[in-house]
């Protein structure tokens, strides 16, 4: 159980440190190319949700995020001994990602995004951050485990 708390805290710290770096080094500056024509660091203030949808709904997102965080905690406490390690880690990743973006919404009124991926066909994936990555990866893992009944001990 303690290891799960440590994982969650480390994810939140990593997320907040990288966002701090984005603010310090990328805000009001040109994007930094990491891999030419594919990956760059580009500061973006996201006032919406994933992929920039529902712009300027700060209070709505804070309330929804708090509900999700509480729901994860309640689910986790009620089912802790019935869940396998993969599901526990996935829930912790989801929780930490949600908390990371919630911190931004409360502090700044928006979420700091800075990872930009562009594909050869010209499609530019929406700019995202570390918390978003953990939210997406954990959601995919949770869906897989639930669909294939692989989340129980």
């Amino acid at each position: 159980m303690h290891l799960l708390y440590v994982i969650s805290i480390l994810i939140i710290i990593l997320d907040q440190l990288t966002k701090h770096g984005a603010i310090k080094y990328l805000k009001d500056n040109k994007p930094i190319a990491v891999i030419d024509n594919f990956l760059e660091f580009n500061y973006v203030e996201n006032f919406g949700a994933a992929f920039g949808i529902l712009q300027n709904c700060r209070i709505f997102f804070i309330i929804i995020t708090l509900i999700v965080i509480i729901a994860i905690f309640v689910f986790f406490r009620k089912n802790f001994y019935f869940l396998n390690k993969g599901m526990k880690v996935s829930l912790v990743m989801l929780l930490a990602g949600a908390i990371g973006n919630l911190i931004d919404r409360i502090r700044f009124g928006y979420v700091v995004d800075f990872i930009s991926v562009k594909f050869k066909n010209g499609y530019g994936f929406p700019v995202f951050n570390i918390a978003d990555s953990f939210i997406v990866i954990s959601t995919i893992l949770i869906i897989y485990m639930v669909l294939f009944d692989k989340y129980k001990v």
Side-chain angles (χ1 to χ4, degrees):
M1 181 75 155
H2 296 302
L3 180 60
L4 295 173
Y5 288 125
V6 171
I7 292 169
S8 181
I9 290 167
L10 288 175
I11 291 170
I12 294 166
I13 290 170
L14 176 64
D15 175 63
Q16 291 300 300
L17 285 175
T18 56
K19 289 174 179 174
H20 174 75
I23 293 167
K24 185 174 181 178
Y25 298 109
L26 298 172
K27 187 174 183 178
D28 301 323
N29 290 313
K30 293 181 181 178
I32 297 171
V34 178
I35 300 173
D36 286 335
N37 300 315
F38 178 67
L39 175 66
E40 67 182 20
F41 294 145
N42 181 20
Y43 180 84
V44 174
E45 295 173 355
N46 184 353
F47 291 87
F51 311 116
I53 61 171
L54 298 172
Q55 292 291 307
N56 299 310
C57 297
R58 178 181 179 217
I59 299 300
F60 171 76
F61 288 122
I62 289 172
I63 291 168
I64 293 298
T65 304
L66 287 171
I67 291 169
V68 167
I69 289 169
I70 291 167
I72 292 171
F73 270 117
V74 169
F75 178 81
F76 206 66
R77 303 261 296 152
K78 285 187 173 184
N79 297 289
F80 184 80
Y81 296 104
F82 303 109
L83 301 174
N84 66 24
K85 289 179 187 176
M87 181 57 91
K88 289 175 185 175
V89 171
S90 296
L91 287 168
V92 164
M93 289 168 47
L94 179 60
L95 181 67
I99 291 171
N101 282 341
L102 178 64
I103 291 169
D104 284 14
R105 287 193 198 286
I106 292 170
R107 283 182 65 202
F108 308 122
Y110 55 84
V111 173
V112 174
D113 289 333
F114 62 93
I115 303 169
S116 179
V117 177
K118 295 180 176 34
F119 296 97
K120 288 189 180 210
N121 64 1
Y123 174 74
F125 195 79
V127 181
F128 60 98
N129 60 46
I130 300 297
D132 295 336
S133 298
F134 279 100
I135 290 169
V136 170
I137 292 166
S138 64
T139 301
I140 291 167
L141 291 171
I142 291 166
I143 290 170
Y144 170 80
M145 285 183 272
V146 170
L147 284 177
F148 295 100
D149 200 26
K150 296 187 180 277
Y151 62 93
K152 299 174 190 167
V153 176

